[in-house]
Amino acid sequence: MKKIILLSALMLTSLSSVAQSVTLRPDNIDEVLSQLTLKEKASLVVGAGYKSMLAGTFGFKVPVPGAAGMTRAVPRLGIPSIILSDGPAGVRIEPKRKRTDQTFYCTGFPIGSLLSSTWNPQLVEKVGGAIGEEALAYGVDVMLAPGMNLQRNPLCGRNFEYYSEDPLLSGRIAAAYVRGIQAQGVGACVKHFAVNNQETNRFWNDARVDKETLKTLYLKNFEYAVREAQPWTVMASYNRLNGIHTQEDKWLLTEVLRDDWGFEGLVMTDWTGRRNTAAQIEAGCDLMEPGVKSQIRELVRKVRRGELSEAALDVCVRRVLELVVKTPTFKGHKPTNAPDLKAHADIAREAAEEGIVLLENRAETLPLAAGTRIALFGNGSYALLAGGTGSGHVHRPYVVNLDEGLTHEGFAVSRDLSTRYKDYMAENRPRKKFLSGMLGSPAIPEMPLSREVVTAAAGQADCAVVTISRQAGEGGDRHLEDDFLLSETEKQMLADVCEVFHGQGKKVVVVLNVGGVVETASWKQLPDAIVLAWQPGQEGGDALASILSGRVCPSGRLPVTFPVDYFDLPSSAHFPYDYVGRGSMTAGRDKEKDVENVGFTDYAEGLDVGYRYFQKSGTPEVSYPFGYGLSYTTFQHSGPVVAGNAVTVSVKNTGSVAGKEVVMIMTPLLRAFGKTRLLQPGESVTLVLPIVTE
Ligand code: BGC
């Protein structure tokens, strides 16, 4: 009897505590905040570590293996942990998991530079929508994308993730991508805020930029994205800006981002949160990623000692909670793990087809006639680089190579050459390194060709297609030799193929399968046509083949200037291009040396970036200007007529094949842009485009 009384008393107590306990809801954040202990508060602003990122390698048990990070949960108050995953060319999670045969592949979309080359925000929004759908299906709450630093200098190793040298194009494309993701109820994260324009010494580099240049260029694109799309989150960059680490910079994160631009979301660090914890909180950096436990202890200690005000911590905690209540996880969404990969592949292909840029087309070399027999040169023809390496690498189910795409399109691809390349690549496959499965592998050095091989191939083909590929990625910048410039092997290949094929009256087409700008001026006269494919995502081979066959009329335009000479770029005098040094995994460990060697980058060229510089009189010629791109048809524009905040332009297809046209209003800076729908020959359309006046 005694026992029963005791038991019911216990039950009553626990029932009453249940009745009193609070569970997080969108409308009771204040109440939940008031119930959190100091330690719980600190834990909410510190991510849950590297566990999810390394789950595939070490077999940790986490909800979404391969996701970049998670926040910490407080179960007693109904606060779940939410999942953050990279981008930007698709969702980056582990494709395989222990104890199941099911796969978790994600669509590999084209890289950022290709998306901006579409000049088509509606299409980019569709890409964002597909990525958002995939994130939702796989249980991801926030996509760490888009990457949107300005392409200040071609050697930045992560330019492939970014959009343009121009802030309006960059900002509007980013805004479209963000809208697409967030329409699915998943958050976006614009990164890396700000002035993260190089990878060399990236954890410590101090970007020294004057206020006007900052406002006009390096912050402006973020401003457009924030004002036009209100991303749920922003990621601070690794670097310092004018002496202060951006994640500790109150001016940047609070005065500019929030007070001036009206940003309402959460700011997180990039993946080394271990800086001054109190300074970050006070600056308005709400979440330290990936997070280590010692940061929680440190925050608690600092509040107790009066070195950090609890009120400042509360502001950040509140923003974490505001983010959490918006997420699919909080709303009880159960991952289906079954996104529509087929539908998304179609979107990836559509985007690739619109972002491929036709740079040269002498004597109407392209499109190739049906049934053309093609000798396909270059490793990249058989192992197309779909995207870059590092956190921007996506585990896609497959990549359609160019030889496959051309075959699908009905062309005959030389067998002998194909066998030779495939054997070479099988023999030279890079050895798997630690994390290479996770982050992607480097490209195989170009196969040297003998003159005999080229001659034999020419005997069996009507034309040659030569692919030149470049791989770049997070943690290292590109180099001048053998990267921006063609390598000796590539030059030889191009010279031999052109000489032999031209000698037989046959055409040569070059495909540039690159993440960023390469030198073109010294060799562009050699081939008959040049197609800039960028890194076109998993459907690249098919997309390229439809451009080469003419089934799709090229409509991409350059989002960045191709200079004649690297040293024509004013930024070249202030970019650590000859710094052969530590990459992401090691930079910063040798901190003193790094700081001493390349401790800062002076943005002394100011506004002289890209076309802003080259359109001034007396500046060098460029190889291909910003906005450049050829088509298989012709267009006539009428207008523009400016009325209020909009500009009206009519476009007529005056050629003989259907095509899309990009409209750019430059006065002389880019003020508005848009793209037509597919116009049949003779068809017209009127575009009304929002114009910026400042
Ligand atoms: C990159 C970020 C990425 C993060 C998480 C960092 O090294 O700079 O772009 O989102 O890792 O993977």
Side-chain angles (χ1 to χ4, degrees), residues 51-60 62 65-66 94 96 98 438:
K51 243 183 154 181
S52 58
M53 189 187 269
L54 298 177
T57 312
F58 296 108
F60 297 132
V62 290
E94 285 294 330
K96 297 195 175 149
K98 296 232 152 62
M438 190 175 110

Side-chain angles (χ1 to χ4, degrees), residues 50-114:
Y50 280 105
K51 243 183 154 181
S52 58
M53 189 187 269
L54 298 177
T57 312
F58 296 108
F60 297 132
K61 239 182 136 205
V62 290
V64 186
M70 302 187 316
T71 61
R72 289 173 199 264
V74 182
R76 72 175 188 94
L77 295 172
I79 305 172
S81 148
I82 62 166
I83 314 287
L84 322 172
S85 164
D86 283 306
V91 181
R92 185 169 76 91
I93 59 172
E94 285 294 330
K96 297 195 175 149
R97 292 182 191 170
K98 296 232 152 62
R99 288 176 290 277
T100 172
D101 290 336
Q102 195 185 346
T103 56
F104 302 81
Y105 285 106
C106 299
T107 308
F109 290 90
I111 59 168
S113 306
L114 184 146

